[in-house]
Amino acid sequence: MRKISALFACLVLVVTTMAQRVDLDRFSFQVNYRELPQLPLDSSFRTYDFSCDIGPLMKLALGNESPAERLEIMGWKWLPANGHVSVQLKMEDLIITKSDINQREEIKKDKNGNIVSKRMWYAPRLTYTYAARVLIRDYTGRQIDEYQMVNRQQTFTYQGTEVGNKIAAFNVLLNMVVLTTQVSREVLYNTIYQLSGNLTRQYGYLEKRVSDMVWVVSNRKHPEYNRFRNNWGIVKNALFKINTNESVEPIWKEVQPAIAYFEKLRREYDGNSKHDRKLRYATHFILSKLYFYLDKPELAQREASDLILNAYDQRDGYHLESMANYLKNELANNRRSTRYFPLYIQSFEGPQNVSLYSGQ
């Protein structure tokens, strides 16, 4: 009888231990947010125009095409002329420094690693240089920035379509004018595309939809399994609703029950065991991410700092802390309290009659 009682006690201990064990699963979620300008300009500036000063070979490559509308600064409106900001791109023609044929051998093997076939591929290849300079002024003529985007010391390579005949590849190189014209057009539009990205980061409002992650309790025997996942569901669904053109205050109110639950959970599991620390780690992680996307950098920073002090996977805490600090500085640099506000881009007008977005 004593043996049976001892065995029963051991089983109860094992079951209890398994129930208290904390296992975490990685969960992904989707969220929208907006990046604010790194170099904010006058808040009334919301339109721009763009012009290209290009060399004769690039003019030949473009024909009747106009690249003026190809530049895009997200969050701003393009005008044919007389924008708040004028962007000028000066590009010099390509200079070919080398032309040759690139060779590639294609080897196919069977499942045992034995070679069953070989084939040579050939492609025309050009090495070239070009130069591009950017000048940015406001509508009063004041220079905002000027810099060399590409210089002649940089070299670039273009490789054409691979063919199975070496002579065919050489024939492409023989028609150098046509090939150089084609490459010139690609280089011009690629440069404008890169400039669009640069100016959007510096002065624009980049809309992003990203996939992020958190850690969620996965041990079904844990007493908090269902409640933890249900409250994470509240947070996940709320974050999915974020619209960059709308205030997140309604979402902030929506997640209050989940925030209260995670904070209470930490008080209930306040021991120093690995399982308690692991559970608290998951709550700090979730809340820090939540506060980051809801524009609460101080709260996100607090959760990150508490995660570090919790002494479980502290590296994540330092990463979350850097995210919170970045957001805090971003908002301060733009003199804003939120990244979420309506942008009525189509209603923006030039400097004669400026139309500001709401939420300023």
Side-chain angles (χ1 to χ4, degrees):
M1 188 68 180
R2 289 180 180 176
K3 290 182 179 179
I4 295 175
S5 298
L7 180 60
F8 179 75
C10 288
L11 288 173
V12 170
L13 180 61
V14 169
V15 171
T16 303
T17 302
M18 289 297 293
Q20 293 298 319
R21 176 179 173 180
V22 177
D23 293 323
L24 301 177
D25 272 349
R26 182 188 180 106
F27 264 65
S28 298
F29 63 95
Q30 300 288 320
V31 63
N32 296 318
Y33 73 99
R34 175 184 287 139
E35 286 191 354
L36 299 179
Q38 296 175 355
L39 301 173
L41 299 175
D42 187 309
S43 61
S44 68
F45 289 7
R46 282 293 170 265
T47 62
Y48 69 97
D49 58 76
F50 175 58
S51 62
C52 279
D53 182 4
I54 56 179
L57 184 60
M58 287 190 177
K59 288 180 181 178
L60 177 65
L62 287 180
N64 295 325
E65 295 179 41
S66 174
E69 296 183 44
R70 293 295 186 100
L71 184 77
E72 181 181 15
I73 305 176
M74 293 189 66
W76 290 57
K77 182 179 180 179
W78 173 82
L79 297 178
N82 302 320
H84 291 98
V85 169
S86 294
V87 180
Q88 184 181 31
L89 176 63
K90 298 181 178 181
M91 287 192 62
E92 299 176 11
D93 279 330
L94 274 61
I95 295 178
I96 307 300
T97 58
K98 183 181 178 182
S99 62
D100 60 357
I101 299 296
N102 182 64
Q103 298 184 163
R104 179 177 66 87
E105 184 179 33
E106 181 183 47
I107 300 176
K108 292 185 178 180
K109 298 181 179 180
D110 62 20
K111 61 181 180 180
N112 297 318
N114 299 315
I115 297 175
V116 295
S117 67
K118 291 183 179 181
R119 186 177 182 183
M120 294 299 298
W121 294 94
Y122 307 91
R125 183 169 58 187
L126 300 179
T127 302
Y128 63 90
T129 69
Y130 75 104
R133 190 166 186 82
V134 178
L135 176 62
I136 306 171
R137 289 193 173 99
D138 68 17
Y139 68 97
T140 68
R142 181 181 65 89
Q143 182 170 304
I144 296 173
D145 200 3
E146 183 176 10
Y147 59 92
Q148 194 73 29
M149 188 174 175
V150 182
N151 60 58
R152 290 290 181 185
Q153 283 66 51
Q154 298 170 262
T155 58
F156 303 88
T157 301
Y158 165 84
Q159 183 168 302
T161 304
E162 287 185 323
V163 293
N165 187 296
K166 193 172 185 178
I167 295 176
F170 268 117
N171 287 337
V172 175
L173 287 179
L174 289 176
N175 200 348
M176 186 61 72
V177 174
V178 173
L179 182 58
T180 306
T181 300
Q182 174 189 337
V183 177
S184 295
R185 182 180 181 277
E186 291 183 11
V187 168
L188 173 60
Y189 284 130
N190 284 338
T191 303
I192 294 174
Y193 177 79
Q194 293 172 19
L195 180 59
S196 295
N198 294 343
L199 296 182
T200 292
R201 284 188 293 272
Q202 291 176 320
Y203 311 119
Y205 296 83
L206 181 62
E207 308 286 335
K208 281 193 170 183
R209 180 168 183 80
V210 297
S211 179
D212 207 336
M213 56 76 60
V214 296
W215 297 101
V216 178
V217 172
S218 62
N219 180 10
R220 293 179 178 272
K221 294 181 179 180
H222 195 282
E224 294 297 330
Y225 174 81
N226 287 324
R227 284 188 292 271
F228 194 106
R229 294 170 81 95
N230 287 341
N231 280 278
W232 157 240
I234 293 173
V235 172
K236 180 180 180 180
N237 292 336
L239 289 174
F240 186 80
K241 295 176 184 177
I242 289 179
N243 183 330
T244 56
N245 286 311
E246 298 176 358
S247 169
V248 292
E249 282 307 307
I251 294 176
W252 173 245
K253 294 177 181 178
E254 183 178 335
V255 296
Q256 290 307 305
I259 293 174
Y261 165 76
F262 289 124
E263 290 179 342
K264 179 183 177 183
L265 193 62
R266 293 200 290 253
R267 294 192 295 270
E268 293 178 351
Y269 291 83
D270 60 353
N272 197 39
S273 69
K274 179 180 178 181
H275 298 305
D276 280 10
R277 288 185 289 114
K278 201 171 182 179
L279 189 63
R280 293 197 300 271
Y281 158 85
T283 66
H284 288 307
F285 198 101
I286 288 174
L287 290 185
S288 186
K289 287 285 180 77
L290 172 65
Y291 294 146
F292 173 81
Y293 288 114
L294 294 186
D295 282 346
K296 309 288 184 184
E298 290 82 6
L299 295 179
Q301 191 175 43
R302 184 193 70 188
E303 293 293 334
S305 298
D306 288 346
L307 190 154
I308 295 169
L309 295 174
N310 186 56
Y312 181 86
D313 212 343
Q314 294 169 301
R315 291 174 300 178
D316 283 341
Y318 292 118
H319 174 67
L320 293 170
E321 199 171 50
S322 68
M323 288 174 59
N325 288 331
Y326 178 87
L327 174 58
K328 184 178 180 180
N329 292 332
E330 182 183 29
L331 292 171
N333 192 35
N334 283 270
R335 298 180 180 179
R336 288 188 174 276
S337 59
T338 181
R339 294 170 289 182
Y340 307 108
F341 47 85
L343 281 172
Y344 302 118
I345 296 175
Q346 293 306 314
S347 69
F348 294 161
E349 298 181 2
Q352 295 86 356
N353 183 18
V354 179
S355 175
L356 302 181
Y357 53 76
S358 64
Q360 177 67 29

